[in-house]
Amino acid sequence: MKAFTLRKTLFAAIATGVLFTGAVQAAGYPAEIENDLVNICKAIKADNPMRLHLAVKRSGLNYRTLDEGLVCNGQNMMTFAATHSAGNSGKFLAARLHSTDRTLTAKR
């Protein structure tokens, strides 16, 4: 009987730990970081390279990190710039990322 109670208690402790861990992961970014990321997306859309550079600088992140993880309206930075006809922002990002043409084409 004692072993059953111990197992039940252990299971309850593990389940509680998993639930709290999930809640922490679902909490998202702190408001300051989220605002910085939103400002970067707004600067890209505004097609103003200087504003974009200042927004990235304020965020404390580098361009490579942003390229790997930032999503603006479901798109990466370069696609977001192209979608909003932000050619100056796109050129600026391409230069900062030392980006080559990443277009994938398929032929039959």
Side-chain angles (χ1 to χ4, degrees):
M1 186 80 166
K2 205 171 201 181
F4 178 71
T5 306
L6 181 60
R7 283 186 195 162
K8 199 173 178 183
T9 306
L10 183 60
F11 176 74
I14 291 171
T16 304
V18 170
L19 289 175
F20 285 132
T21 303
V24 170
Q25 290 174 349
Y29 295 107
E32 304 85 38
I33 294 173
E34 188 173 350
N35 288 336
D36 289 340
L37 297 176
V38 169
N39 287 336
I40 292 170
C41 292
K42 286 180 180 179
I44 292 170
K45 187 175 178 180
D47 199 22
N48 185 336
M50 181 56 77
R51 182 176 164 190
L52 175 57
H53 176 70
L54 291 174
V56 171
K57 192 173 180 178
R58 282 187 203 115
S59 75
L61 300 169
N62 62 39
Y63 289 96
R64 184 65 56 197
T65 301
L66 291 169
D67 185 44
E68 292 171 359
L70 180 62
V71 176
C72 299
N73 291 344
Q75 301 171 329
N76 66 27
M77 293 189 303
M78 297 295 287
T79 305
F80 185 72
T83 301
H84 293 284
S85 302
N88 292 330
S89 292
K91 289 177 191 174
F92 179 78
L93 288 169
R96 290 287 186 244
L97 297 170
H98 307 292
S99 179
T100 57
D101 188 13
R102 292 194 234 171
T103 304
L104 299 175
T105 56
K107 292 183 180 180
R108 282 190 176 228

